[in-house]
């Protein structure tokens, strides 16, 4: 991945409860603070060598800052960049997809539409360095989307059922390098945990507090860099021991909406 697409939080707000993390947060967003946190996040991404592009925000789209969801990007087996447009579960988020269609069409991507319920890079996560796609299903995406994506990109897909509060795969699984993943095991079924351990030699576990309050598994890894919500000191230490350079950031305003570092960007190739 050469960079990330971000959407400024001009219209960011919590107006309803789409996931359990949003409970009691309506009307509590401090937009000036959100902007500061977003600016610092963009700066951190640039600092670890990622190009940062921005998507103009659409008025009335309060969740648009979560750029991971309305699309999913990758490179197919012919080397072509492809953006798959999502079919969002919530009506208020379906309106975000049009802006992604326009941006990716204008930036050299083949753009196609998901035929079924699918929330993009929130549930479809690349395995670093391998032609493998991890797919979460059961809440915002259906399992049927993964055979489709497997054909579109010419890759193997491995699916994980989500049955807990961890509603998107990127809230509980963060592949760090070809052999290592950061995981919140309680978000997965027994079969899911087995599949993860079969494909990652090293599994670093987040505990309940780190996963829930700190959204630690919503970290972003690029090379040996890991950008993560600040506050999970013990976990940060484990990551350092494993050879990663940690960049703690504050995404507190976005945690009120059930999102953090990873889902605030879309990967660019
Ligand atoms: N409020 C947003 C929603 O519930 C947050 C999305 C966060 N995205 C993610 N991939 N975890 O749709």
């Amino acid at each position: 991945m050469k960079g990330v697409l971000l959407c400024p939080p001009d219209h960011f707000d919590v107006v309803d409860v789409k996931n359990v993390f949003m409970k009691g947060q309506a009307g509590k967003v401090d937009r000036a603070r959100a902007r500061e946190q977003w600016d610092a996040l963009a700066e951190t991404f640039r600092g670890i060598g990622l190009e940062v592009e921005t998507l103009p925000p659409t008025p009335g789209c309060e969740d648009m800052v979560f750029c991971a969801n309305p699309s999913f990007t990758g490179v197919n087996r012919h080397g072509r960049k492809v953006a798959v447009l999502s079919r969002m579960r919530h009506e208020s988020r379906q309106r975000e997809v049009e802006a992604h269609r326009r941006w990716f069409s204008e930036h050299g991507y083949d753009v196609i539409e998901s035929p079924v319920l699918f929330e993009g890079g929130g549930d479809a996560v690349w395995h670093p360095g391998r032609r493998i796609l991890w797919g979460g299903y059961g809440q915002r995406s259906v399992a049927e989307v993964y055979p489709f994506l497997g054909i579109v990109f010419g890759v193997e897909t491995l699916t994980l059922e989500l049955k807990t509060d961890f509603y998107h795969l990127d809230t509980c699984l963060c592949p760090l390098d070809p052999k290592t993943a950061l995981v919140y095991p309680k978000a997965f079924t027994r079969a899911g945990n087995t599949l993860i351990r079969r494909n990652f030699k090293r599994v670093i576990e987040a505990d309940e507090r780190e996963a829930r309050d700190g959204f630690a598994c919503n970290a972003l890894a690029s090379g040996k860099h890991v950008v993560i919500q600040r506050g999970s000191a013990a976990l940060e230490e484990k990551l350092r021991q494993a050879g990663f350079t940690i960049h703690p950031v504050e995404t507190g305003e976005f945690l009120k909406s059930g999102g953090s570092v990873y889902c605030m960007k879309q990967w660019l190739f």
Side-chain angles (χ1 to χ4, degrees), residues 18-19 22 63 66 69 93 122 140 167-168 170 257-258 263:
K18 299 183 189 79
N19 61 65
M22 299 173 87
D63 272 320
F66 301 112
N69 303 142
R93 299 209 64 188
R140 302 291 190 89
Y167 61 99
H168 271 147
D170 69 6
S257 190
C263 55

Side-chain angles (χ1 to χ4, degrees), residues 116-127:
V116 290
L117 200 67
F118 173 53
E119 293 210 349
D123 273 330
V125 176
W126 289 113
H127 189 119

Side-chain angles (χ1 to χ4, degrees), residues 12-14 16-20 22 62-69 88 90 92-93 96 119-123 140 167-171 215 218 254 256-260 262-264:
F12 173 58
D13 206 353
V14 175
D16 56 8
V17 181
K18 299 183 189 79
N19 61 65
V20 299
M22 299 173 87
E62 77 278 358
D63 272 320
M64 201 170 167
V65 69
F66 301 112
C67 246
N69 303 142
M88 305 297 289
H90 299 93
S92 67
R93 299 209 64 188
E96 298 173 27
E119 293 210 349
D123 273 330
R140 302 291 190 89
Y167 61 99
H168 271 147
L169 184 58
D170 69 6
T171 65
F215 249 60
N218 202 247
F254 305 99
K256 296 174 182 171
S257 190
S260 183
Y262 187 89
C263 55
M264 290 172 69

Side-chain angles (χ1 to χ4, degrees), residues 6 20 31 51 60 72 110 113 135 146 148 150 191 206 211 217 222 246 259:
L6 303 184
V20 299
R31 217 176 265 166
E51 280 173 31
F72 174 66
D110 289 345
E113 287 173 18
Y146 298 109
F148 168 77
C217 297
S222 178
I246 312 306

